[in-house]
């Protein structure tokens, strides 16, 4: 007969039995804890990301606060300085492109490469319409940097003297913000990192290779020292002039300067050409329609007493309207003035592969969207209505193909002096980078939301 004592489990058995009894309870507690943690995490993520779908007027401010956070700001500055130290010219931006792709990979942003040799086109969002594009140019200039600082260009004769290193950093900053909130995007944001803006019209080649496929609108931002930090400038309609170049070789018959009657003097012909070209603006252009024809170089001869066989002249033209007609008149004046002076002339309107660019014309609807956004982001007094500018930009090709808007982001600081673009003393005010990143991201989100809103109304 078994006693009660004989039925008592051993200590080991006690532990096993206790474990068996408590195991279901422990599992339940674990799942309760896990679910609670995940719920809290979702609530946290929701609170962090939901502001993209909150009050539209506050969203740009949220983007700006995020872009100004030390982590994001320092990251953008680091990218900009790395690019500044290693400038690359048009269609040679291989290391620049590699850095961009590396950052996009870390973000998990899908992209196409190569587009137009070194260009990169990234995609954030649903992968479905509507599609809106943001553009940054990434090439440097063939000039020596004279700014002495820790991150000076390491490549002799090459420099980021137009802010393109800053443009890339700002667009990557926007990409980071958009990717972190991609689940709330009501369409697809296309990130265009464009090569060869300065000389070879890289925008044109990117369009030819499909960079704007499905894209309905595009926005671009350029840093400027002409506007204070924290402000931006733009206008509806014509913002930047069409820009082109010309070079002509005027050929005669050289000889001794003491017996000019035995020569056909190309110097006289070239002089007539230079003077006659000025009449295209002063006598053939409406005074209310701005145009520029400038002869900026003239080469020929290397002796005081010898008339050369030929003279080479070159220059630039700018116009908001009648650009192609002005090109033809330049060619006509050069060749006919040469003929009058018994010389021959050949004219090249794309010297050294320099592509002409059409005027940059801002779409009215996009201009209104942008103006409202800037006021939400930076305040009522932050928008500057700028006058038309005679400078040129190959963003014009994008804005010619689809509705586009181009703007200038201020970086001037009263306590410091920032040189104009294309100067060997050019510097970027890195405090402007968060503003550019926030403007890019906010404009893309607002455009997609406006399209979605209009679509919903159309369905009703």
């Amino acid at each position: 007969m078994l006693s009660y004592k004989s039925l008592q489990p051993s200590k080991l058995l006690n532990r096993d039995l206790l474990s068996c009894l408590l195991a279901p309870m422990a599992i339940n507690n674990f799942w309760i804890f896990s679910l609670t943690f995940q719920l809290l995490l979702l609530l946290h993520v929701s609170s962090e990301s939901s502001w993209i779908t909150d009050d539209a007027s506050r969203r740009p401010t949220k983007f700006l606060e995020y872009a100004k956070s030390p982590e994001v700001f320092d990251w953008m500055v680091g990218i900009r300085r790395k690019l500044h130290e290693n400038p690359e010219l048009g269609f040679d931006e291989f290391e620049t492109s590699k850095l961009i792709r590396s950052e996009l990979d870390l973000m998990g942003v899908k992209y196409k490469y190569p587009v137009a040799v070194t260009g990169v086109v990234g995609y954030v969002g649903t992968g479905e319409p509507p599609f809106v594009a943001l553009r940054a140019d990434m090439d440097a200039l063939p000039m020596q940097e004279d700014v002495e600082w820790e991150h000076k260009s390491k490549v002799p004769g090459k420099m980021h003297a137009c802010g393109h290193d800053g443009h890339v950093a700002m667009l990557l900053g926007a990409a980071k913000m958009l990717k972190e909130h991609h689940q709330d995007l009501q369409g697809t944001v296309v990130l265009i990192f464009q090569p060869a803006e300065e000389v070879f019209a890289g925008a044109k080649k990117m369009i030819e290779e499909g960079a704007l496929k499905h894209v309905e609108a595009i926005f671009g931002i350029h840093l400027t020292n002409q506007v204070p930090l924290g402000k931006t400038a733009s206008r509806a309609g014509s913002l930047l002039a069409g820009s082109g170049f010309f070079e002509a070789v005027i050929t005669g018959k050289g000889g001794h300067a003491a017996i000019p009657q035995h020569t056909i003097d190309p110097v006289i012909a070239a002089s007539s050409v230079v003077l006659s070209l000025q009449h295209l603006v002063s006598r053939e252009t409406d005074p209310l329609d701005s145009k520029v024809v400038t002869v900026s170089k003239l080469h020929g001869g290397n002796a005081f007493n010898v008339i050369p066989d030929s003279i080479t002249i070159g220059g630039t033209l700018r116009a908001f309207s009648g650009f192609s007609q002005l090109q033809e008149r330049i060619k006509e004046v050069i060749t006919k003035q040469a003929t009058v002076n018994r010389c021959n002339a050949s004219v090249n309107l794309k010297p050294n592969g320099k592509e002409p660019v059409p005027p940059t014309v801002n779409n009215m609807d996009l201009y209104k969207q942008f103006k409202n956004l800037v006021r939400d982001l930076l305040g009522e007094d932050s928008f500057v209505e700028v006058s038309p500018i005679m400078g040129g930009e190959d963003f014009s090709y994008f804005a010619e193909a689809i509705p586009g808007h181009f703007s200038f982001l201020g970086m001037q600081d009263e306590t410091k002096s920032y040189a104009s673009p294309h100067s060997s003393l050019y510097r970027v005010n890195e405090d402007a980078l968060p503003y550019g990143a926030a403007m890019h991201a906010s404009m893309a989100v607002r455009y997609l939301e406006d399209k979605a809103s209009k679509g919903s109304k159309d369905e009703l």
Side-chain angles (χ1 to χ4, degrees):
M1 180 176 178
L2 292 174
S3 67
Y4 176 78
K5 186 176 182 180
S6 67
L7 294 175
Q8 299 302 308
S10 66
K11 291 182 178 179
L12 178 61
L13 183 59
N14 278 336
R15 288 196 299 270
D16 290 343
L17 180 60
L18 188 62
S19 297
C20 290
L21 292 172
L22 293 179
M25 187 181 301
I27 292 172
N28 286 337
N29 286 340
F30 170 77
W31 281 112
I32 291 171
F33 171 78
S34 178
L35 289 171
T36 302
F37 176 77
Q38 291 184 49
L39 180 60
L40 290 172
L41 181 62
L42 286 171
L43 288 172
H44 174 72
V45 170
S46 176
S47 67
E48 288 294 314
S49 62
S50 62
W51 54 261
I52 199 170
T53 54
D54 284 346
D55 179 13
S57 64
R58 279 192 46 77
R59 187 185 311 111
T61 305
K62 292 287 189 178
F63 273 131
L64 182 57
E65 290 172 356
Y66 182 82
K68 283 184 173 181
S69 66
E71 179 184 359
V72 177
F73 176 74
D74 291 345
W75 169 74
M76 285 192 291
V77 167
I79 289 172
R80 184 254 154 178
R81 291 179 176 180
K82 188 177 294 185
L83 292 175
H84 191 86
E85 290 177 355
N86 301 280
E88 297 174 300
L89 304 183
F91 292 130
D92 194 36
E93 310 95 331
F94 292 101
E95 291 303 313
T96 300
S97 178
K98 184 178 179 181
L99 184 150
I100 291 168
R101 287 180 280 124
S102 175
E103 293 296 334
L104 294 178
D105 285 335
L106 290 173
M107 296 178 205
V109 173
K110 296 181 180 179
Y111 56 83
K112 289 183 180 178
Y113 172 85
V115 182
V117 186
T118 55
V120 181
V121 180
Y123 301 90
V124 182
T126 64
E128 300 294 332
F131 288 78
V132 61
L134 305 173
R135 173 265 202 172
D137 40 14
M138 58 186 192
D139 55 324
L141 285 160
M143 56 192 301
Q144 184 66 36
E145 180 171 8
D146 289 328
V147 180
E148 296 299 332
W149 68 305
E150 183 182 355
H151 301 283
K152 182 178 179 179
S153 171
K154 296 178 180 178
V155 185
K158 297 179 184 178
M159 175 191 177
H160 271 293
C162 201
H164 297 188
D165 47 351
H167 299 170
V168 170
M170 292 189 302
L171 187 52
L172 284 173
K176 186 179 186 68
M177 290 187 282
L178 292 168
K179 180 59 180 177
E180 291 187 8
H181 301 284
H182 69 278
Q183 69 277 4
D184 295 313
L185 294 175
Q186 300 182 49
T188 305
V189 182
V190 181
L191 310 166
I192 296 180
F193 296 91
Q194 179 212 311
E197 183 275 330
E198 292 293 354
V199 177
F200 302 113
K204 182 179 181 182
K205 190 167 181 63
M206 290 204 85
I207 294 170
E208 292 170 353
E209 297 193 13
L212 293 184
K213 185 177 181 181
H214 303 308
V215 178
E216 300 175 19
I218 185 168
F219 296 89
I221 298 174
H222 200 297
L223 292 165
T224 179
N225 70 323
Q226 299 299 310
V227 177
L229 178 67
K231 292 191 176 186
T232 189
S234 185
R235 65 177 287 110
S238 296
L239 174 66
L240 295 165
S243 172
F245 304 92
F246 62 89
E247 186 175 70
V249 179
I250 300 169
T251 305
K253 178 184 176 184
H256 200 288
I259 47 174
Q261 69 274 22
H262 296 307
T263 71
I264 300 176
D265 193 345
V267 177
I268 298 299
S271 300
S272 297
V273 166
V274 172
L275 292 174
S276 296
L277 286 174
Q278 304 313 303
H279 298 162
L280 297 180
V281 174
S282 66
R283 298 294 89 185
E284 297 183 20
T285 299
D286 185 332
L288 300 179
D289 182 15
S290 298
K291 286 185 172 67
V292 171
V293 177
T294 296
V295 178
S296 53
K297 70 174 187 175
L298 193 152
H299 300 293
N302 50 26
F304 290 109
N305 60 347
V306 177
I307 294 173
D309 287 318
S310 65
I311 295 287
T312 299
I313 68 170
T316 186
L317 63 146
R318 308 294 167 101
F320 288 101
S321 63
F323 185 79
S324 59
Q325 293 91 327
L326 183 58
Q327 283 183 307
E328 289 305 310
R329 281 294 288 141
I330 288 172
K331 189 173 182 178
E332 186 177 28
V333 166
I334 293 173
T335 55
K336 290 190 175 180
Q337 280 296 324
T339 300
V340 167
N341 289 278
R342 300 181 299 145
C343 292
N344 296 314
S346 60
V347 182
N348 183 3
L349 296 176
K350 298 181 181 180
N352 301 319
K354 294 179 182 291
E355 288 277 351
V357 298
T360 300
V361 181
N362 280 338
N363 175 270
M364 176 62 78
D365 291 336
L366 299 185
Y367 163 79
K368 291 177 180 178
Q369 283 186 15
F370 178 80
K371 189 173 182 179
N372 290 333
L373 168 77
V374 168
R375 286 175 172 170
D376 289 342
L377 177 64
L378 304 174
E380 286 294 323
D381 299 329
S382 60
F383 184 85
V384 178
E385 189 81 19
V386 70
S387 299
I389 301 168
M390 297 310 293
E393 236 282 357
D394 79 345
F395 181 87
S396 57
Y397 282 107
F398 293 127
E400 197 175 53
I402 59 174
H405 184 273
F406 194 74
S407 60
F408 294 97
L409 176 62
M411 65 173 189
Q412 191 57 266
D413 187 331
E414 292 181 357
T415 64
K416 302 174 184 177
S417 177
Y418 290 91
S420 297
H422 295 217
S423 164
S424 63
L425 297 175
Y426 180 85
R427 296 178 299 127
V428 164
N429 184 347
E430 294 172 334
D431 289 339
L433 300 182
Y435 293 96
M439 285 170 57
H440 269 312
S442 300
M443 198 65 244
V445 171
R446 182 161 296 187
Y447 177 85
L448 294 178
E449 287 184 346
D450 284 354
K451 291 289 290 186
S453 176
K454 289 178 182 177
S456 299
K457 290 178 181 178
D458 290 343
E459 290 176 4
L460 294 174

